[in-house]
Amino acid sequence: MLNNMTDGEEGEGGPNSQGDGNPKESSPFINSSAARDADKSQQYDGKNMALFEEEMDTSPMVSSLLSSLANYSNLPTGSKEHEEAENNEEGARPSKKPVKAPQLGTLMGVYLPCIQNIFGVILFLRMTWMVGVGGVFGSFVIVFMCCSTTMLTAISMSAIATNGVVPAGGSYYMISRSLGPEFGGAVGICFYLGTTFAGAMYILGCIEILLIYIIPQAAIFKIEGLEGQEAELALLNNMRVYGTIVLSFMVLVVFVGVRYVNKLALVFLACVILSIVAVYAGVIKTAIDPPVFPVCVLGNRTLLSKGYDVCAKLVEIDNETVTTDLWRTFCDSETLNATCDEYFTNNNVTEIQGIPGVSSGILAENLFGNYLEKGMFLEKRGLASVVDTDNPPTSTNRYVLADITSFFTLLVGIYFPSVTGIMAGSNRSGDLRDAQKSIPIGTIAAITTTSIVYMSTVVLFGACIEGVVLRDKFGEGVNGNLVIGTLAWPSPWVIVFGSFFSTCGAGLQSLTGAPRLLQAISRDGIIPFLRVFGHGKANGEPTWALLLTACICEIGIIIASLDAVAPILSMFFLMCYMFVNLACALQTLLRTPNWRPRFKFYHWALSFLGMSLCLSLMFICSWYYAIIAMGIATCIYKYIEFCGAEKEWGDGIRGISLSAARFALMRLEEGPPHTKNWRPQILVLVSVDEEQNVEQPRLLSLANQLKAGKGLTIVGTSVQGTFLDNYTEAQRADQSLRKLMETEKVKGFSQVVISSNLRDGTSHLIQVGGLGGLKHNTVLVSWPRNWKQPEYHQQFRNFIEVVRETTVASLALLVPKNISSYPSNGERFTEGHIDVWWIVHDGGMLMLLPFLLRQHKVWRKCKMRIFTVAQMDDNSIQMKKDLITFLYHLRIEAAVEVVEMHDGDISAYTYEKTLVMEQRSQILKQMHLTKNEKEREIQSITDSSRGSIRRKNPSASRSRHSVDEAASVAEQPEDESVAVSNPKQVQLIHSKNASAPTSPTSPTSPAAPAGGAATWTDNAGAEKGKSTLAANPEAGKDLFNMKPEWENLSQVDVRRMHTAMRLNEVIIKKSKEAKLVLLNMPGPPKNRVGNENYMEFLEVLTEGLNRVLLVRGGGREVITIYS
């Protein structure tokens, strides 16, 4: 056995034997003090865990983890904070009342709360009217569609709720943690608004029952004697006044203590259940003994019950015919010869039974809908009616009229709130003994129960109650009784008072739940301006959130119409349910490893069906309300996104992003992009100082100004060292890059590579940057500053290697010179030019870059000019016409100019410049030799220079004689020594070189052949150039005017220096005042001997220009004239 394996291991002090009484030596696996080691050794003695002592600091033992999970308590929101506050206030009080663990089961914790929230005001006040207007068939379709939506949502919610522990917060918590902070915040606010408007709807239902069915005399604005619009306005004003009073009272109750609301919850639930039982009892009674509820009908029009005492025109009293109240209502006097309303005269009065009973066969008559427009009469089907179509109807205030225009979609919007409330169980998740078991069972059972009740009542109402009574919304034809109350047994007052108390309880529940939901959103911190509502009283009660809820609820009270408020909250609830289904479908389809619900009866197709139903119902209810609700959610989403929600909840949206990114990357691998889809994917190479700060921040400004291409941007840097030793520095550099990218508003990625030397690190970035088909195609690197100074020679060598590597990899290269003078993103050019010098065709990069720059506000006001160079045998006029046509087809606006550069004589100054360049190359080459060799080489160069000076004519040292590729120069042997013409220059370089230490990390350049000229082409190229010179004897000048030190110069270098100087003169002449000059970048030398010469040529080419962007194409076309 390996019980004490480490006891026999050798530490720093030698081996220890078990039981020797000496303290154990520190283990080689543990890097800590001896005392701590001793403590750990005692702690883990006999536990077989010595091998894992180092991990114990950061990773707990399995036993500790299981113990902490066993003690987990998912207390309701605010309880833990309240408990901690009490601990802090009471200090070290010995006896503290323990917080009770959640004890609610499925029945009391989920099923009954869902029943109470689902059954509500719509069932008692609008269900009968909906059946009468929409018909049994249409109403059944509405109920089935809405109940199916909630059932599918409950299945999705059950899957989410059983996928791990559900803390307090319920539905908002589930949505936000499944769809991320942006969707979570947007849907959370919608759910909050829905719950708040539900409170307003319940209060309006409560007032409607009070003022119409219980105490009509309490109306402040009297309705008696008013007709049409005036009566409607008076009713709405009464609703507003009493609604505000009731709202204020309820807010006060909630503020004083939620415990009173919770204590009354069972009473309110009992009222709901008792009322529903009374309805079913009444239905059974109608089959045996239908109640007497007569309805008076004139012709086929239903009459107001308060307009008559007897449902007849005339009655016989003591053999005398006497007129009734109904006669006096329609006629101008009580006499039999009075002038009466024409419709009253032509039609008979009939008394029909309002509740004929379930066995009467009235179901067939109520099977189909009877939609009405506002102000239409409620007419009994099957009764004869004589109507004079020429005369408008009179005495309309004597009939029962439709108060609103009804249609199918309106019924859906009004009915849907009666199936909401399915989240009541999940909102109580903190109080449940086993939330993962109780939420699915309780919620689905509650929806099943309520769905059966709703569907059965639709059929039973249509089978028991007369159609005109069903369409009578306020019971005006049945003595002002609540229509559903007329069916109830033993008395209509059972329903009236039961529905009154249930609406009061539902309103209190809404005003209790909505502020807590807002508080949960506020405490998450995803919506900054709502943070103030996260605060409350000392016990966690959300005071500020309650005030805001009351204000929003007052908006619903001011609307005052139950039929207008119901579709509003339908929108918000439907949106919430839609995103619950979306969350479940996404998690299922993405197959996230953490998606392991205990509830197994779900499928992504069911979730998508539920989501589709929710979206359809939103637009069926009210398309403009749907657009407003979605607009609110979108605004909140974009606001959270704009503020930068720094939350990582492992949400499904991030999973979508990962899957979409993987899919897109796999598609990009199929082949290179078409020229029309080409855009600069930029790798920005920057360097960092010792503090890991970026040395060229303006490179990122330029990258941002090129972002009109909408391509990939990678900002990369290299840290010198090893991964183990320098990982912290790399992390700091990465943070520095990210911070600078955020400051410069560069959207992209940062990448830091650790390498033994910076050259290799840069090479690694160029090779491995990007992923799959999403790789960089352009490299942006700054011009090496101070490259002529010996201590910076490694920088320009690295730079030239970057040029070579981009050439080999077929990458475009952008080299901004004088990067510090480039504009920042905050600057603006009000005028100026961007000049393009198009020397060679590079695939169109020179055309595309100015176009992209001019999309940015910094360069927007700048004009674009294109210059191209014509040779001796070119037709410059035709070239200009062709270039204008080419730009026209490219859809690029630019001025065009063709510059003629004829073959001119090579000036003496060119020779002098080439001579100095080769002197510097020779001396820089010596830096890689040993000290003694270096001194000997420099001395020999100096002696050679002095000898040549003695041979030359001093008076002609500054003459500008021109010699054009003389044949005599071509005859010089290739291996002839390079002469130095200026002793002062040599002394200056010699002194600098003597003081500069040789870099130990710089690679040793391959030495040139002894006495060989430093060129940047291969020998074949040089021979070709020389043979060309030799074949042109007319170009030769007086050889006696040649300076002796010029004779040994490489003529290829002389010609290139000549080209660089001539081009530079022309560019300065034309583009001196340009804001930016874009120029073709010559290719790098094929061998490393001519590196210094290459840099010199580029320096001469760009000398005297403020901002230059050297551009080198990647070897493919990047712009096209085709659509």
Side-chain angles (χ1 to χ4, degrees):
M1 296 295 290
L2 302 175
N3 289 350
N4 291 294
M5 180 178 176
T6 56
D7 293 350
E9 291 178 350
E10 291 191 8
E12 293 177 359
N16 285 326
S17 60
Q18 185 175 1
D20 60 359
N22 297 326
K24 290 191 224 176
E25 298 287 344
S26 61
S27 167
F29 295 98
I30 302 171
N31 186 17
S32 58
S33 62
R36 189 175 174 186
D37 292 337
D39 292 342
K40 282 188 177 181
S41 299
Q42 294 174 6
Q43 180 181 355
Y44 300 119
D45 254 350
K47 295 187 179 180
N48 306 330
M49 289 297 144
L51 184 62
F52 296 94
E53 289 178 17
E54 188 66 25
E55 283 79 4
M56 294 301 172
D57 294 333
T58 55
S59 304
M61 292 178 64
V62 174
S63 57
S64 305
L65 175 66
L66 295 177
S67 175
S68 62
L69 288 176
N71 295 327
Y72 172 78
S73 174
N74 52 351
L75 294 173
T77 305
S79 297
K80 286 190 175 180
E81 292 84 351
H82 182 40
E83 183 182 354
E84 291 170 1
E86 286 184 353
N87 282 333
N88 295 334
E89 290 173 5
E90 296 171 4
R93 184 187 294 184
S95 61
K96 182 179 179 298
K97 193 174 181 179
V99 179
K100 291 184 179 179
Q103 293 297 325
L104 293 178
T106 302
L107 181 66
M108 297 299 295
V110 181
Y111 181 76
L112 291 180
C114 284
I115 291 286
Q116 182 182 358
N117 278 267
I118 294 172
F119 286 136
V121 62
I122 301 297
L123 172 64
F124 301 117
L125 295 184
R126 294 292 182 269
M127 180 67 94
T128 53
W129 172 77
M130 186 184 80
V131 174
V133 173
V136 173
F137 181 74
S139 300
F140 192 88
V141 169
I142 293 173
V143 171
F144 181 79
M145 193 162 49
C146 294
C147 291
S148 299
T149 302
T150 54
M151 180 61 79
L152 292 172
T153 304
I155 292 172
S156 299
M157 185 188 71
S158 300
I160 298 173
T162 57
N163 188 49
V165 178
V166 182
S171 53
Y172 162 70
Y173 180 90
M174 290 189 293
I175 296 168
S176 61
R177 270 56 177 179
S178 296
L179 293 178
E182 292 89 358
F183 274 110
V187 179
I189 292 296
C190 287
F191 191 44
Y192 163 74
L193 292 174
T195 308
T196 305
F197 275 104
M201 184 188 72
Y202 291 130
I203 292 172
L204 289 174
C206 171
I207 303 303
E208 183 177 311
I209 294 169
L210 181 70
L211 292 181
I212 295 179
Y213 305 113
I214 299 179
I215 317 175
Q217 301 80 13
I220 298 173
F221 300 90
K222 298 300 180 184
I223 304 176
E224 294 293 333
L226 300 178
E227 297 183 16
Q229 194 71 27
E230 294 178 352
E232 183 180 350
L233 186 60
L235 177 61
L236 293 180
N237 287 333
N238 284 321
M239 303 283 279
R240 292 182 181 114
V241 173
Y242 277 99
T244 304
I245 294 171
V246 172
L247 174 62
S248 303
F249 174 74
M250 287 185 174
V251 168
L252 184 63
V253 171
V254 174
F255 178 77
V256 169
V258 182
R259 60 180 180 274
Y260 301 114
V261 179
N262 293 330
K263 286 179 180 178
L264 291 172
L266 281 177
V267 177
F268 298 140
L269 177 61
C271 293
V272 172
I273 295 175
L274 185 62
S275 300
I276 293 172
V277 170
V279 170
Y280 279 104
V283 169
I284 295 171
K285 184 177 181 299
T286 62
I288 304 167
D289 182 20
V292 178
F293 268 99
V295 178
C296 194
V297 179
L298 176 62
N300 63 356
R301 297 175 182 175
T302 309
L303 295 171
L304 290 173
S305 57
K306 63 183 178 181
Y308 62 90
D309 52 350
V310 179
C311 186
K313 295 180 181 180
L314 305 170
V315 292
E316 291 282 340
I317 300 177
D318 298 332
N319 296 325
E320 182 182 354
T321 302
V322 181
T323 58
T324 61
D325 288 346
L326 190 61
W327 180 281
R328 291 188 285 273
T329 302
F330 285 93
C331 301
D332 56 2
S333 68
E334 298 182 5
T335 60
L336 293 175
N337 59 355
T339 303
C340 297
D341 181 80
E342 186 175 356
Y343 186 83
F344 178 78
T345 306
N346 296 335
N347 291 276
N348 296 323
V349 176
T350 310
E351 186 176 73
I352 62 173
Q353 182 62 22
I355 303 180
V358 71
S359 58
S360 63
I362 197 72
L363 178 63
E365 187 179 316
N366 294 330
L367 201 57
F368 298 101
N370 189 5
Y371 297 101
L372 305 172
E373 291 189 9
K374 185 176 181 179
M376 286 182 64
F377 301 105
L378 265 64
E379 298 177 345
K380 161 72 176 169
R381 291 177 181 174
L383 287 181
S385 176
V386 179
V387 182
D388 187 359
T389 57
D390 296 332
N391 295 325
T394 57
S395 303
T396 54
N397 60 334
R398 308 294 185 261
Y399 305 102
V400 180
L401 305 176
D403 66 322
I404 60 171
T405 300
S406 55
F407 40 88
F408 180 81
T409 57
L410 174 75
L411 298 184
V412 176
I414 292 175
Y415 172 74
F416 188 80
S418 65
V419 297
T420 60
I422 62 173
M423 301 284 190
S426 62
N427 288 341
R428 292 167 175 256
S429 56
D431 302 324
L432 300 175
R433 189 185 305 118
D434 186 358
Q436 295 193 22
K437 176 184 177 183
S438 298
I439 289 176
I441 296 174
T443 305
I444 292 175
I447 292 175
T448 304
T449 304
T450 54
S451 299
I452 292 171
V453 170
Y454 282 137
M455 292 178 187
S456 63
T457 52
V458 165
V459 177
L460 293 174
F461 289 162
C464 294
I465 306 175
E466 175 60 50
V468 291
V469 178
L470 288 172
R471 289 187 286 277
D472 188 358
K473 184 185 289 185
F474 301 111
E476 294 170 305
V478 285
N479 300 320
N481 282 307
L482 185 61
V483 174
I484 193 174
T486 62
L487 186 63
W489 181 86
S491 168
W493 291 106
V494 176
I495 293 288
V496 171
F497 283 106
S499 59
F500 176 77
F501 286 116
S502 71
T503 50
C504 287
L508 282 171
Q509 293 284 354
S510 296
L511 291 176
T512 303
R516 279 160 178 72
L517 181 59
L518 181 61
Q519 187 182 44
I521 298 170
S522 305
R523 286 183 173 176
D524 267 344
I526 56 176
I527 305 178
F529 70 85
L530 289 181
R531 283 176 183 162
V532 65
F533 299 106
H535 306 296
K537 293 194 290 187
N539 61 350
E541 291 298 319
T543 309
W544 292 107
L546 179 62
L547 288 175
L548 180 64
T549 303
C551 293
I552 297 174
C553 196
E554 180 63 24
I555 296 173
I557 299 296
I558 291 172
I559 294 174
S561 171
L562 184 70
D563 301 325
V565 173
I568 296 176
L569 66 103
S570 295
M571 290 303 116
F572 293 123
F573 277 120
L574 279 167
M575 184 168 290
C576 178
Y577 296 166
M578 180 177 71
F579 281 105
V580 170
N581 285 297
L582 176 64
C584 180
L586 282 183
Q587 299 277 29
T588 307
L589 288 175
L590 293 174
R591 298 177 181 176
T592 312
N594 192 51
W595 179 247
R596 303 184 300 275
R598 289 186 180 276
F599 182 78
K600 301 298 182 185
F601 305 101
Y602 70 94
H603 193 271
W604 64 266
L606 294 176
S607 300
F608 266 118
L609 180 60
M611 185 181 69
S612 304
L613 275 173
C614 290
L615 189 62
S616 303
L617 285 175
M618 284 177 67
F619 283 92
I620 287 173
C621 292
S622 174
W623 63 268
Y624 46 90
Y625 278 163
I627 291 174
I628 292 172
M630 295 175 81
I632 292 172
T634 304
C635 291
I636 297 169
Y637 179 95
K638 297 307 289 184
Y639 175 76
I640 297 172
E641 188 180 53
F642 175 76
C643 292
E646 297 178 359
K647 301 284 183 182
E648 175 52 59
W649 288 332
D651 51 89
I653 294 299
R654 185 170 178 81
I656 288 182
S657 302
L658 291 171
S659 296
R662 174 182 169 275
F663 177 77
L665 284 172
M666 297 300 290
R667 288 289 302 273
L668 286 175
E669 284 284 358
E670 293 178 3
H674 191 273
T675 302
K676 289 185 287 187
N677 293 325
W678 194 94
R679 60 197 66 197
Q681 319 268 24
I682 303 175
L683 170 63
V684 185
L685 296 177
V686 297
S687 57
V688 293
D689 57 19
E690 294 179 356
E691 300 298 324
Q692 311 305 328
N693 295 320
V694 178
E695 292 181 338
Q696 308 99 355
R698 288 293 169 87
L699 273 177
L700 271 73
S701 302
L702 179 59
N704 178 46
Q705 291 156 25
L706 285 167
K707 73 179 183 181
K710 302 293 184 186
L712 172 74
T713 303
I714 303 174
V715 182
T717 190
S718 178
V719 174
Q720 190 167 348
T722 62
F723 186 78
L724 294 178
D725 296 335
N726 300 93
Y727 181 72
T728 306
E729 288 85 343
Q731 292 293 98
R732 284 208 311 270
D734 188 61
Q735 290 297 322
S736 178
L737 291 183
R738 290 176 183 271
K739 186 176 180 181
L740 184 60
M741 290 171 70
E742 184 178 351
T743 303
E744 297 292 342
K745 297 181 180 178
V746 174
K747 293 187 180 296
F749 308 98
S750 61
Q751 192 167 4
V752 179
V753 171
I754 304 175
S755 180
S756 56
N757 61 75
L758 299 181
R759 170 80 285 282
D760 290 344
T762 306
S763 178
H764 296 159
L765 283 171
I766 294 174
Q767 293 177 59
V768 303
L771 180 64
L774 194 64
K775 294 178 70 71
H776 55 272
N777 53 29
T778 305
V779 176
L780 177 61
V781 62
S782 180
W783 177 263
R785 55 188 177 87
N786 303 328
W787 67 271
K788 294 184 180 180
Q789 299 180 17
E791 57 266 27
Y792 291 102
H793 78 283
Q794 189 59 38
Q795 283 190 6
F796 81 76
R797 294 180 186 275
N798 291 347
F799 170 76
I800 295 176
E801 289 301 308
V802 169
V803 178
R804 288 195 177 99
E805 287 173 359
T806 55
T807 303
V808 170
S810 298
L811 301 175
L813 179 66
L814 308 179
V815 182
K817 195 177 177 191
N818 303 327
I819 186 64
S820 58
S821 66
Y822 276 64
S824 65
N825 292 326
E827 297 180 39
R828 304 285 186 278
F829 288 132
T830 56
E831 58 182 1
H833 294 93
I834 299 177
D835 286 357
V836 176
W837 284 84
W838 194 19
I839 311 300
V840 295
H841 182 55
D842 57 351
M845 280 290 288
L846 282 172
M847 306 293 177
L848 185 62
L849 292 176
F851 170 78
L852 296 178
L853 284 173
R854 291 183 66 232
Q855 307 302 307
H856 196 273
K857 52 193 173 183
V858 173
W859 305 92
R860 192 165 291 152
K861 299 292 181 66
C862 293
K863 306 291 184 183
M864 182 174 166
R865 297 189 301 190
I866 296 183
F867 298 89
T868 188
V869 177
Q871 300 296 324
M872 176 70 74
D873 53 349
D874 292 330
N875 185 341
S876 57
I877 298 175
Q878 187 62 38
M879 278 182 68
K880 185 172 182 178
K881 288 181 180 179
D882 294 342
L883 183 54
I884 292 172
T885 305
F886 180 59
L887 291 177
Y888 174 78
H889 288 303
L890 288 177
R891 290 91 65 201
I892 292 177
E893 296 180 5
V896 174
E897 186 172 343
V898 177
V899 179
E900 295 183 354
M901 282 185 62
H902 302 301
D903 292 337
D905 297 334
I906 300 178
S907 65
Y909 181 65
T910 303
Y911 278 99
E912 293 287 343
K913 194 85 174 175
T914 310
L915 189 60
V916 173
M917 175 187 73
E918 296 206 352
Q919 291 167 6
R920 183 181 294 111
S921 299
Q922 282 290 90
I923 292 180
L924 288 176
K925 183 184 70 173
Q926 307 309 318
M927 294 176 65
H928 302 283
L929 305 176
T930 63
K931 184 176 180 181
N932 294 332
E933 290 175 337
K934 187 188 304 178
E935 290 177 353
R936 284 200 303 271
E937 287 288 334
I938 293 175
Q939 187 62 41
S940 65
I941 294 172
T942 308
D943 292 343
S944 173
S945 171
R946 287 172 180 163
S948 65
I949 291 169
R950 284 195 295 268
R951 293 194 305 271
K952 76 174 184 178
N953 181 9
S955 63
S957 62
R958 294 187 175 271
S959 63
R960 304 294 297 266
H961 292 291
S962 296
V963 180
D964 183 48
E965 290 103 45
S968 59
V969 176
E971 295 170 2
Q972 297 293 329
E974 241 184 67
D975 57 349
E976 205 160 323
S977 301
V978 176
V980 179
S981 64
N982 193 339
K984 293 182 180 179
Q985 181 77 17
V986 173
Q987 290 298 325
L988 178 63
I989 297 175
H990 178 263
S991 61
K992 284 185 179 179
N993 183 50
S995 61
T998 304
S999 173
T1001 60
S1002 59
T1004 303
S1005 301
T1015 65
W1016 59 313
T1017 57
D1018 53 14
N1019 290 337
E1023 288 295 335
K1024 182 179 179 182
K1026 292 181 181 181
S1027 62
T1028 305
L1029 290 175
N1032 189 8
E1034 293 181 4
K1037 295 294 181 182
D1038 186 6
L1039 297 182
F1040 294 102
N1041 291 332
M1042 287 287 292
K1043 296 184 180 181
E1045 61 271 21
W1046 296 349
E1047 298 173 2
N1048 299 322
L1049 292 177
S1050 165
Q1051 290 308 301
V1052 176
D1053 287 347
V1054 172
R1055 288 188 294 108
R1056 294 191 173 181
M1057 182 64 75
H1058 174 63
T1059 303
M1061 293 179 65
R1062 289 290 305 277
L1063 266 177
N1064 179 255
E1065 290 173 6
V1066 176
I1067 294 173
I1068 287 182
K1069 180 181 177 182
K1070 298 285 186 179
S1071 303
K1072 179 69 174 176
E1073 302 300 325
K1075 300 300 182 185
L1076 179 65
V1077 176
L1078 283 85
L1079 183 63
N1080 284 116
M1081 184 177 183
K1086 294 182 180 179
N1087 55 22
R1088 289 176 171 78
V1089 178
N1091 284 353
E1092 298 83 0
N1093 296 3
Y1094 177 65
M1095 295 298 294
E1096 190 68 47
F1097 291 138
L1098 294 180
E1099 190 72 58
V1100 170
L1101 183 62
T1102 58
E1103 194 172 7
L1105 297 171
N1106 185 23
R1107 299 186 194 93
V1108 183
L1109 183 60
L1110 295 170
V1111 180
R1112 184 161 174 76
R1116 62 160 296 164
E1117 293 292 329
V1118 301
I1119 195 167
T1120 178
I1121 63 174
Y1122 300 105
S1123 62

